[in-house]
Amino acid sequence: MQIRIGQEILSREALLDSAGLLAEFVQANGDTLIWQHDEQRIEVLDLVGGFGSTLLGHNHPELVETMQHSLRANRPMWVQGAQRPIAKQLREALAEKLSTETGKQYQLIILNTGTEAVEAALKHAQYEYFQRLSQAQTRSADNWREFMARLSRNELSISEAFFSKAEQLLGQEPIESIEELQRALQYRNQQAFNLPAKVAAFKGAFHGKTRGSLATTYNRDARLPFIANNPDAVFIEDCDSFKQTLSAWQSQYWHIEFEPLRLVAKPINQLAAVIYEPIQGEGGVVPLAQQYIDLLHEIKQSHPDTAIIADEIQCGLGRTGHFLESVARQVPNDYITLAKSLGGGLCKISAVAIDASRYHQEFSMLHSTTFADDDLSSAVALKTLALLERDDIVHKTQSLGEAFLSALQGLANDYPDMITEVRGKGCMLGIELASQSEHPSATISGLDKENVLSMALAGYLLHRHHIRILPSLGKRRVLRLQPSSYFAHENIAKVVNALKAAFELIRAHKIAPLMSHLIHTDISELAYHERLHHPVREENTPSGIEKVAFISHLIDQDSLNEIDPGWRVFDEYEQEELNHHILPVTIPSVLARRKIISLSGREIELVLYGIQMDAESIEADRRFNRSTIIRSQVHEAYRQAREEGCKLVGFGGYTSIVTSNCCDFTYNTPAATSGNALTVAASINTVLSSATQHGIDLKKATVAICGAAGNIGQVHSAILAKHCHKLILITRNASATNMNDTLRVICEQLYLGIEQQISGGKLLESCKEWLTPRIGDDKPEVIQRELKSILLARGLVVISDNFNDCQQADVIVSNTSSPTTVFRAEHINAHKPVLISDVAVPRDVPEDIVLTRPNVKLIRGGVVNLTQNPEFTLPGMLLPKGQVYACCGETILLGLAGAFSHFSMGALTCAQVEQVQALAAIHGFELDQEKPQNDSLQAVS
């Protein structure tokens, strides 16, 4: 089986492994498993119970002896087409027991698995329906022959009134002759005889995974890939609605009565079967509601030809404290399916019991199987039935269930924030966990929203308390407990105390002890020396204001620690390993909602979506997986933003890069923006203001742009060219085609500067001297091409792939796409003031470079000051109050401006930078803010 969790399609093994549950158990006895773990043999208390199969425990000695005796006797296993006396004894014993329980006689069919038992039951119900229609068709043909015979004997007199009435009833005209009557009658009746059989099940049902049983299984993860929009199977949720559906399934065929001569409607009920579980197991241990029981009684009364199938595969044979739960609840049944416990935890065997009055003998030829009726499983099942009687298993399970339920209910009373409901009977119990979607810990909240917190709890219980529990796959917030009937009462306290320990960790936000087993380490609660303070995710925002979204990701350890302080007790390597382990079961989540106000008074709400991948893991995904994981995470966040009703989505860091500067969403809504325009605007404004403060005359300065072949480096180069004396363009490949684009844009901007007669640096002034006389006489593109040659020839623009050339620079702007730092001290001049603006994701320049080069001022451009929102903060961004990274600021700015159309998508232009600079002034955004020196999250693109 595969299942979608987060953004991953996981196999069953991968899902279990993600929670640390893919353990190897090498021995089993009763309710104890032996776990081979790290060269240790650990005793584990088993409450999974083979999904209900081990009602008598693992390897019950008497059942093992029965199996061994059968094998030692060399009994033939496969002798199809011969007498099978042990299988016959089993059928007789089961039939007798069921008759005692229900007062009815049943015909038993022995099969292999639960899903096959359901298949057989559904097939037989459909066969019953087919036989009813065949008999009706035969009666109809016989009726017409009798009609014609009576006519031939002049026993009937047909009037015009009869034909007229036939027209009305059959909806056909004209009917003025016997031939026309025959055609109309055959047409209408054949329509009725062609109607398909219908089957109904209940919402939350699980009846198996073969195709027929799957049609009645509600779990969409299991069903929809194979059976979707099936008109012949419905799920009952609302009784009144289903009664209307059932009414629509009532049809009729027409029969001629002779005394007096008339057409009479004969009913056809299309509902062949209703199947139910007295207690839904995979659906979350949910007992059948009384309203559904009443409905089944009503169907039994009004439509007795509908087969009512009691699926007792998981709850039958005494597991609930009753041999048959359907009988205990007084629910009608025509068929009963049994499996799981029937094999005593050793054999695969199932049975379907069909009311003898309904059984069709020929069905044994229509549904046969190679491996049924074998001596081995039949002998074990016979012994199982004997043990159920001898050891009074029904009473044992009833007593154990009462004690367990009492203890669990006490736990629920103590932890109402952890448990919504405890339910079930006997040895079939369920604990429905309360939602933790609003939990202060972003990790716990995220796991809960993806319905895998229960799996994480199961992993914790296994590794730290050696208790094995699993959630229901159909309702993953429910932990199922299915102990054997021999389960020791004193172990109940052990289970309750283990759950209590898990709940205490969740209450205290201590995710490390809860999850450290996933990385094979042990972190105790004592590792937390201080109370955890989680960032505020939800702020009160007025309803009705427009929303914008921003998608960000982790950069390093500090950003994760701020988003969820519970991670702080892990070192960097442990964090990386754990994050990698749980990533397949996580999806982007809402980290914060913030109201923001403009200088103009306009308000918007910002919704921040966080992706739990850092730059290094994203870069690895780009290199080895073609960005499959990060792109799926980004697309999921975008989908959530659309569902939220956001009118604009902004992208930060790699979320912009891996979607080609948002081009993935060119034809989608909501609008998208990369954040690049305001990032460059803020970076340039900061360079202009910081250069003067650091004693650098930018007009005479040499500026190095690292990553100049990239779009952001290109725009930096073009705009700063108008303010400096010389440009050094650093790129990995000096002959790259992109460098020609960069040179073209630089020349375009210098030409515009001359044309607009703005003042600037020495480079622009030199260009004015050369080109002003020619403006107006020559075409701009001709002048710009010549300018490119002049700049390169005179060394005013230098292209290089060597970082050592940065030693010439007074100002360095770095924006490479390297996953690690690229600058070393020897790349920087040690004898003059140097300003470095690092706008890379992740950073290009190590923070400690200022220790070896005290002449360097390191700034991290791209921060915006929100003057109207002095208390503004976002988790994981590690900025002072009132500040935001420019890429996120662009989203906010466009939202405040009401600009809900694609903006900085694809290649960024200098015009877009100038546009957001103008908008920033209107809405009160200050763009010349330096990032703190200890900044560790650069959510810029």
Side-chain angles (χ1 to χ4, degrees):
M1 175 187 175
Q2 290 186 326
I3 189 167
R4 180 174 290 282
I5 302 284
Q7 290 303 291
E8 298 290 317
I9 296 291
L10 298 181
S11 67
R12 179 182 59 187
E13 290 75 15
L15 177 60
L16 291 170
D17 185 51
S18 71
L21 291 168
L22 202 61
E24 180 187 3
F25 298 107
V26 294
Q27 278 185 290
N29 181 37
D31 288 287
T32 301
L33 296 168
I34 302 301
W35 178 17
Q36 187 69 41
H37 181 55
D38 293 340
E39 300 183 356
Q40 290 183 299
R41 294 168 71 86
I42 301 169
E43 288 192 357
V44 173
L45 193 62
D46 182 27
L47 286 161
V48 176
F51 292 148
S53 300
T54 56
L55 179 61
L56 301 181
H58 292 279
N59 294 316
H60 190 290
E62 294 181 61
L63 293 175
V64 171
E65 173 57 29
T66 298
M67 180 177 275
Q68 291 174 338
H69 175 76
S70 180
L71 293 172
R72 285 196 301 266
N74 291 324
R75 294 282 303 180
M77 190 77 72
W78 316 122
V79 283
Q80 298 87 344
Q83 290 189 14
R84 316 290 286 274
I86 300 179
K88 181 181 178 183
Q89 291 176 42
L90 174 60
R91 285 194 293 272
E92 291 172 348
L94 259 179
E96 182 179 353
K97 179 62 177 175
L98 293 176
S99 179
T100 301
E101 292 289 324
T102 66
K104 297 195 296 185
Q105 300 299 314
Y106 292 91
Q107 183 73 36
L108 267 296
I109 304 172
I110 303 302
L111 299 162
N112 301 286
T113 63
T115 190
E116 188 182 358
V118 171
E119 288 280 347
L122 293 172
K123 281 175 66 176
H124 190 278
Q126 189 161 12
Y127 187 68
E128 277 195 88
Y129 176 77
F130 168 78
Q131 288 297 318
R132 288 197 297 274
L133 290 189
S134 295
Q135 291 165 10
Q137 200 164 9
T138 299
R139 286 194 297 269
S140 178
D142 290 345
N143 179 246
W144 182 259
R145 281 193 293 270
E146 182 179 358
F147 173 70
M148 293 302 293
R150 290 193 180 208
L151 280 178
S152 67
R153 295 194 298 265
N154 295 316
E155 295 175 3
L156 296 177
S157 175
I158 301 178
S159 65
E160 289 186 11
F162 175 77
F163 284 134
S164 178
K165 187 65 175 178
E167 282 186 359
Q168 294 176 26
L169 295 176
L170 299 178
Q172 298 283 325
E173 59 179 5
I175 298 179
E176 298 172 345
S177 66
I178 298 299
E179 291 77 13
E180 288 172 341
L181 174 63
Q182 183 182 26
R183 283 196 297 271
L185 199 60
Q186 287 179 342
Y187 174 75
R188 285 299 307 276
N189 284 354
Q190 196 59 50
Q191 281 186 316
F193 299 146
N194 289 340
L195 290 172
K198 304 289 187 180
V199 176
F202 289 90
K203 182 180 180 182
F206 180 90
H207 296 294
K209 291 182 179 175
T210 49
R211 188 166 175 83
S213 60
L214 189 60
T216 60
T217 291
Y218 186 77
N219 184 342
R220 296 186 178 192
D221 287 333
R223 177 169 49 86
L224 290 186
F226 308 100
I227 301 174
N229 303 319
N230 181 2
D232 299 331
V234 300
F235 294 97
I236 304 169
E237 181 175 8
D238 177 73
C239 291
D240 290 336
S241 176
F242 177 72
K243 289 175 185 177
Q244 293 177 9
T245 300
L246 181 55
S247 177
W249 286 345
Q250 303 310 305
S251 186
Q252 58 194 8
Y253 70 98
W254 294 95
H255 188 84
I256 302 173
E257 289 191 352
F258 304 110
E259 295 178 359
L261 183 63
R262 59 178 179 166
L263 288 177
V264 177
K266 298 289 185 178
I268 292 178
N269 169 31
Q270 285 183 258
L271 181 59
V274 181
I275 187 168
Y276 70 92
E277 298 161 278
I279 298 179
Q280 291 181 346
E282 291 292 347
V285 193
V286 180
L288 191 67
Q290 186 59 47
Q291 61 171 327
Y292 297 146
I293 296 176
D294 294 341
L295 174 66
L296 289 170
H297 278 290
E298 190 174 329
I299 293 171
K300 182 67 176 173
Q301 183 69 29
S302 58
H303 302 287
D305 52 354
T306 294
I308 297 179
I309 304 170
D311 183 347
E312 297 257 10
I313 285 169
Q314 190 163 166
C315 65
L317 299 173
R319 178 164 286 281
T320 66
H322 301 279
F323 188 81
L324 292 176
E325 184 61 20
S326 58
V327 173
R329 297 290 304 280
Q330 297 183 333
V331 191
N333 67 68
D334 298 304
Y335 301 7
I336 302 169
T337 59
L338 299 167
K340 294 190 183 291
S341 298
L342 185 60
L346 290 176
C347 291
K348 303 169 184 176
I349 186 170
S350 65
V352 56
I354 300 175
D355 187 322
S357 66
R358 308 178 69 116
Y359 184 69
H360 291 267
Q361 295 294 332
E362 66 272 24
F363 189 72
S364 63
M365 293 295 292
L366 297 172
H367 187 93
S368 59
T369 173
T370 299
F371 296 113
D373 286 342
D374 67 289
D375 278 11
L376 185 63
S377 59
S378 296
V380 171
L382 268 171
K383 185 63 177 180
T384 297
L385 292 176
L387 290 173
L388 294 177
E389 288 290 331
R390 189 197 71 186
D391 292 353
D392 196 7
I393 295 301
V394 164
H395 181 264
K396 283 182 182 294
T397 56
Q398 189 176 67
S399 174
L400 179 62
E402 289 171 355
F404 232 134
L405 277 172
S406 176
L408 292 174
Q409 191 56 59
L411 183 68
N413 293 339
D414 292 339
Y415 293 89
D417 53 329
M418 297 289 139
I419 297 177
T420 296
E421 186 181 6
V422 174
R423 54 181 178 259
K425 294 176 67 177
C427 293
M428 187 174 179
L429 307 173
I431 304 169
E432 182 159 356
L433 302 174
S435 171
Q436 302 299 323
S437 60
E438 303 302 319
H439 195 282
S441 164
T443 303
I444 291 174
S445 170
L447 291 174
D448 181 80
K449 287 176 182 176
E450 195 52 27
N451 275 332
V452 290
L453 182 58
S454 58
M455 297 288 288
L457 279 176
Y460 165 79
L461 293 171
L462 175 63
H463 285 262
R464 299 297 178 234
H465 297 273
H466 305 151
I467 293 173
R468 186 168 183 254
I469 298 176
L470 287 177
S472 296
L473 282 180
K475 196 170 186 180
R476 295 198 297 269
R477 216 170 245 153
V478 176
L479 294 174
R480 276 192 297 177
L481 285 69
Q482 294 185 303
S484 83
S485 57
Y486 302 111
F487 191 85
H489 281 237
E490 57 266 27
N491 280 330
I492 294 175
K494 180 179 179 181
V495 175
V496 170
N497 289 334
L499 288 166
K500 185 182 296 185
F503 294 158
E504 286 293 337
L505 293 177
I506 293 175
R507 272 186 172 179
H509 315 165
K510 297 178 178 178
I511 63 168
L514 193 67
M515 303 178 71
S516 59
H517 62 274
L518 294 174
I519 53 175
H520 308 292
T521 188
D522 188 4
I523 294 179
S524 73
E525 295 184 58
L526 300 177
Y528 294 85
H529 302 296
E530 58 186 27
R531 182 174 177 83
L532 300 178
H533 297 285
H534 294 268
V536 176
R537 288 205 300 272
E538 303 283 338
E539 286 186 349
N540 292 326
T541 55
S543 60
I545 67 173
E546 292 174 314
K547 297 180 182 181
V548 297
F550 182 71
I551 304 172
S552 187
H553 62 79
L554 303 174
I555 295 299
D556 60 12
Q557 187 176 3
D558 289 340
S559 59
L560 177 58
N561 291 341
E562 187 188 53
I563 290 169
D564 193 334
W567 288 73
R568 288 178 183 163
V569 297
F570 293 115
D571 62 31
E572 188 171 357
Y573 172 77
E574 290 171 334
Q575 284 193 354
E576 180 181 348
E577 186 179 0
L578 180 59
N579 200 20
H580 177 75
H581 199 91
I582 68 173
L583 181 63
V585 296
T586 59
I587 61 173
S589 60
V590 175
L591 297 182
R593 297 177 187 275
R594 299 289 187 263
K595 183 187 75 171
I596 303 166
I597 189 168
S598 162
L599 186 63
S600 67
R602 176 177 163 82
E603 293 178 338
I604 61 165
E605 179 183 345
L606 172 70
V607 184
L608 175 66
Y609 291 91
I611 294 172
Q612 199 157 311
M613 293 178 71
D614 61 17
E616 189 171 342
S617 63
I618 294 172
E619 190 60 39
D621 182 44
R622 293 177 73 196
R623 186 177 301 115
F624 301 114
N625 300 321
R626 297 183 179 181
S627 303
T628 302
I629 299 173
I630 180 59
R631 289 188 75 249
S632 68
Q633 292 270 331
V634 173
H635 279 259
E636 170 61 17
Y638 181 85
R639 185 197 66 77
Q640 291 183 34
R642 180 172 58 238
E643 294 294 319
E644 178 82 21
C646 297
K647 293 190 171 183
L648 176 71
V649 180
F651 296 76
Y654 277 101
T655 70
S656 172
I657 295 169
V658 300
T659 58
S660 301
N661 288 346
C662 312
C663 286
D664 277 12
F665 309 102
T666 301
Y667 302 106
N668 291 340
T669 56
T673 192
S674 69
N676 290 344
L678 196 62
T679 295
V680 173
S683 171
I684 288 172
N685 281 27
T686 304
V687 166
L688 295 177
S689 62
S690 297
T692 302
Q693 296 170 18
H694 197 48
I696 297 173
D697 184 354
L698 196 57
K699 293 181 179 181
K700 301 177 181 179
T702 296
V703 174
I705 308 292
C706 301
N711 185 222
I712 291 179
Q714 178 186 101
V715 177
H716 268 96
S717 303
I719 295 177
L720 287 175
K722 294 184 286 188
H723 296 274
C724 68
H725 178 218
K726 178 180 177 181
L727 278 177
I728 300 175
L729 307 178
I730 307 292
T731 180
R732 291 176 183 170
N733 186 350
S735 62
T737 303
N738 284 355
M739 284 309 301
N740 289 325
D741 291 335
T742 299
L743 290 169
R744 176 182 55 76
V745 176
I746 290 171
C747 293
E748 286 176 357
Q749 286 299 303
L750 288 170
Y751 181 87
L752 285 174
I754 298 168
E755 199 173 44
Q756 296 166 2
Q757 299 183 350
I758 63 172
S759 59
K762 291 186 67 176
L763 179 56
L764 179 60
E765 296 305 317
S766 297
C767 291
K768 284 181 181 178
E769 293 177 11
W770 305 328
L771 304 180
T772 299
R774 297 181 56 187
I775 290 180
D777 294 334
D778 295 328
K779 292 182 178 180
E781 54 270 24
V782 173
I783 298 175
Q784 291 167 25
R785 278 199 302 270
E786 292 183 9
L787 179 59
K788 170 184 169 181
S789 301
I790 295 171
L791 294 176
L792 291 173
R794 301 192 180 187
L796 294 175
V797 174
V798 176
I799 299 174
S800 171
D801 58 5
N802 191 343
F803 277 87
N804 285 324
D805 286 339
C806 290
Q807 289 186 359
Q808 305 172 40
D810 305 287
V811 175
I812 301 170
V813 177
S814 190
N815 185 55
T816 73
S817 57
S818 171
T820 57
T821 56
V822 295
F823 269 93
R824 298 190 301 274
E826 57 265 29
H827 295 149
I828 302 165
N829 195 307
H831 305 294
K832 65 177 181 179
V834 177
L835 174 67
I836 302 178
S837 176
D838 187 358
V839 291
V841 179
R843 64 185 60 176
D844 283 341
V845 185
E847 286 182 1
D848 59 4
I849 204 163
V850 296
L851 300 178
T852 54
R853 288 286 187 269
N855 61 306
V856 168
K857 181 174 184 180
L858 174 61
I859 62 174
R860 304 198 182 278
V863 173
V864 173
N865 191 24
L866 304 176
T867 59
Q868 304 303 303
N869 303 268
E871 298 300 312
F872 177 88
T873 60
L874 287 176
M877 296 209 176
L878 303 174
L879 287 173
K881 289 182 177 181
Q883 291 191 353
V884 67
Y885 290 108
C887 56
C888 181
E890 179 173 305
T891 305
I892 297 170
L893 182 60
L894 294 173
L896 291 172
F900 299 128
S901 57
H902 296 311
F903 186 67
S904 58
M905 175 180 281
L908 179 67
T909 66
C910 296
Q912 287 172 321
V913 174
E914 293 171 355
Q915 187 176 348
V916 295
Q917 284 176 323
L919 287 175
I922 294 171
H923 294 282
F925 285 40
E926 292 180 352
L927 304 185
D928 57 350
Q929 301 298 308
E930 297 179 3
K931 293 183 187 178
Q933 290 293 318
N934 65 347
D935 157 48
S936 61
L937 172 63
Q938 298 184 62
V940 295
S941 45

